[in-house]
């Protein structure tokens, strides 16, 4: 395995930062996700942070003051002193592994007293920091990897033939828009566009009335490939740096009118939200899972999308949850209401297959590219990752604790996505949150 389970995953490992030992934290010492932050109290630029409990370790300062003060050449530390994750993304998996070990060692309970004092000066309260988009994203691609989602959506438009015949052979995707990928917490403006009512003779232009979210997981490309040099499935995972939560906001009325014959365009490109912390492939090693078990009679993947490792370990066991909080709920002090939960185990195509397929025509992937899974839906009615599925295109409105109903999103609504991994004998790790409020 490229990403082995080792001492950094030991469930008994404890940190000298007490909040990291809370069994409910998303960020115990076994996780160590990377992000970019600025301290509003401080004039300094962006710095690289590692989330630990309710704190953030200022990795840029740690690299500068602890690792680089010996004067020796240290490429791993040099990748950390800059104001972006650019060079960490380009480290080979072995160096990333070493970096993880170094960070883990610094945060363990048994770190020596002198070092701990120095480290305490590099530790900030997460609350109050400005978290930025973790990676400068050159390109964004969105797949359609949940067969349940594809079937549910297909059924609405083609009741007799919900799943297109290519679906089980080829990972379906489209090129999204990188310029409008925003970090969690960014307000989302309701888009305007052309829509065509069923009984109308001509389309109209105006604000979308059918605004939806899509619960997805995305991965960031670590090292890319040269044009004309596809990435074989056997090497796909070493090109993946880590994962985040993705909300692919979607204007269904605009989508419905524009999507044929070339697929979604303005119904998706106005906004995509990502969570600020990138959970690394190393951290996720204990949560690997066999890839999707296909129904008898389904085709097996073509050879370029198949490998024993992908079959045995290509899937991930990541629990996903979507919550809504309306203005009235906030006024009444109510907690966000959970709309659904799903799991990436239900994805028909693995991240490795998406990456390999993407590069299979020679397309050059670039370091920092964001590649998203598509809406993660499962087989049951509470496993649906979008409102269009949950409300059956608005036919079955959802009742909220305030008595309000929702078919689609209204202005002021906040969508909150969470993700976490949990397994017997392994420390729970989480992704934090991916939030966005819809504004007019
Ligand atoms: Ca999508």
């Amino acid at each position: 395995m490229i990403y082995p389970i080792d001492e950094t995953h030991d469930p008994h490992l404890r940190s000298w930062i007490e909040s990291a030992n809370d069994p409910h934290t998303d960020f115990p010492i076994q996780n160590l996700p990377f992000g970019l932050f600025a301290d509003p109290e401080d004039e300094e630029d962006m710095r690289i942070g590692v989330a630990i409990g309710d704190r953030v370790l200022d990795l840029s300062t740690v690299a500068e003051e602890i690792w680089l003060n010996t004067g020796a050449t240290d490429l791993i530390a040099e990748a950390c002193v800059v104001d972006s994750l650019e060079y960490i993304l380009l480290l080979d998996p072995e160096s990333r592994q070493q970096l993880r070990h170094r960070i883990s060692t610094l945060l363990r309970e048994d770190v020596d007293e002198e070092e701990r004092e120095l480290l305490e000066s590099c530790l900030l309260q997460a609350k109050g920091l400005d978290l930025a988009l973790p990676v400068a994203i050159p390109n964004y691609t969105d797949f359609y990897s949940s067969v349940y989602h594809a079937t549910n959506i297909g059924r609405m438009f083609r009741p007799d033939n919900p799943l297109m015949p290519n679906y089980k052979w080829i990972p379906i995707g489209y090129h999204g828009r990188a310029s409008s990928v925003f970090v969690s917490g960014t307000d989302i403006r309701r888009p305007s566009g052309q829509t065509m009512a069923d009984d109308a003779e001509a389309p109209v232009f105006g604000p979308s009335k059918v605004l939806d979210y899509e619960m997805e997981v995305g991965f960031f490309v670590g090292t890319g490939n040269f044009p004309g040099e596809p990435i074989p499935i056997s090497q796909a995972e070493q090109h993946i740096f880590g994962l985040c939560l993705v909300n692919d906001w979607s204007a269904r009325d605009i989508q419905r009118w524009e999507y044929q014959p070339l697929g979604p365009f303005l119904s998706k490109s106005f906004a995509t939200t990502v969570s600020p912390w990138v959970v690394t492939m190393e951290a996720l090693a204990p949560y690997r899972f066999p890839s999707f078990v296909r129904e008898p009679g389904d085709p097996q993947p073509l050879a370029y999308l198949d490998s024993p490792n992908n079959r045995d370990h290509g899937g991930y066991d990541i629990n996903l949850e979507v919550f809504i909080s309306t203005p009235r709920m906030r006024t009444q002090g109510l907690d966000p209401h959970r709309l659904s939960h799903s799991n990436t185990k239900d994805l028909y195509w693995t991240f490795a297959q998406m990456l390999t397929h993407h590069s299979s025509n020679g397309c050059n992937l670039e370091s920092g590219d964001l590649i998203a899974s598509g809406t993660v839906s499962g087989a049951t009615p509470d496993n649906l990752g979008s409102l269009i599925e949950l409300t059956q295109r608005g036919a079955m409105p959802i009742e909220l604790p305030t008595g309000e109903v929702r078919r689609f999103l209204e202005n002021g609504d906040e969508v909150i996505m969470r993700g976490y991994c949990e397994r017997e004998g392994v420390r729970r790790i989480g992704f934090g949150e991916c939030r966005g409020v819809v504004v007019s």
Side-chain angles (χ1 to χ4, degrees), residues 381-397:
D382 54 351
N383 284 170
L384 305 171
S386 65
L387 281 174
I388 193 172
E389 291 169 272
L390 282 169
T391 69
Q392 303 199 13
R393 263 172 110 177
M396 310 247 302

Side-chain angles (χ1 to χ4, degrees), residues 66-203:
I66 301 181
W67 296 336
L68 288 174
N69 73 359
T70 61
T73 310
D74 183 345
L75 290 176
I76 295 173
E78 277 162 24
C80 302
V81 288
V82 292
D83 59 359
S84 84
L85 289 178
E86 191 181 345
Y87 297 106
I88 295 184
L89 255 65
L90 291 171
L91 292 173
D92 57 84
E94 204 174 293
S95 304
R96 272 153 48 190
Q97 195 81 22
Q98 282 182 38
L99 176 57
R100 175 175 168 83
H101 275 258
R102 284 192 195 187
I103 299 168
S104 172
T105 308
L106 293 178
L107 297 175
R108 284 181 207 174
E109 218 168 30
D110 59 2
V111 73
D112 77 58
E113 203 56 35
E114 203 177 311
E115 203 154 51
R116 178 171 158 172
E117 265 172 41
L118 197 56
L119 286 165
E120 269 169 357
S121 68
C122 302
L123 205 61
L124 298 128
Q125 288 277 3
K127 213 173 171 180
L129 296 180
D130 293 331
L131 294 171
L133 205 57
V135 173
I137 300 167
N139 303 284
Y140 164 46
T141 299
D142 195 16
F143 277 91
Y144 199 49
S145 296
S146 159
V147 69
Y148 302 107
H149 174 70
T151 306
N152 292 337
I153 297 292
R155 193 177 289 125
M156 292 176 201
F157 298 100
R158 298 175 303 275
D160 304 328
N161 176 29
L163 202 63
M164 298 299 267
N166 57 1
Y167 189 87
K168 291 180 174 176
W169 293 97
I170 184 169
I172 303 290
Y174 69 96
H175 286 106
R177 181 86 197 159
S179 67
S180 53
V181 179
F182 304 117
V183 72
S184 175
T186 308
D187 284 349
I188 303 303
R189 290 194 194 193
R190 180 177 296 272
S192 286
Q194 270 201 31
T195 57
M196 178 74 157
D198 275 337
D199 48 0
E201 278 177 13

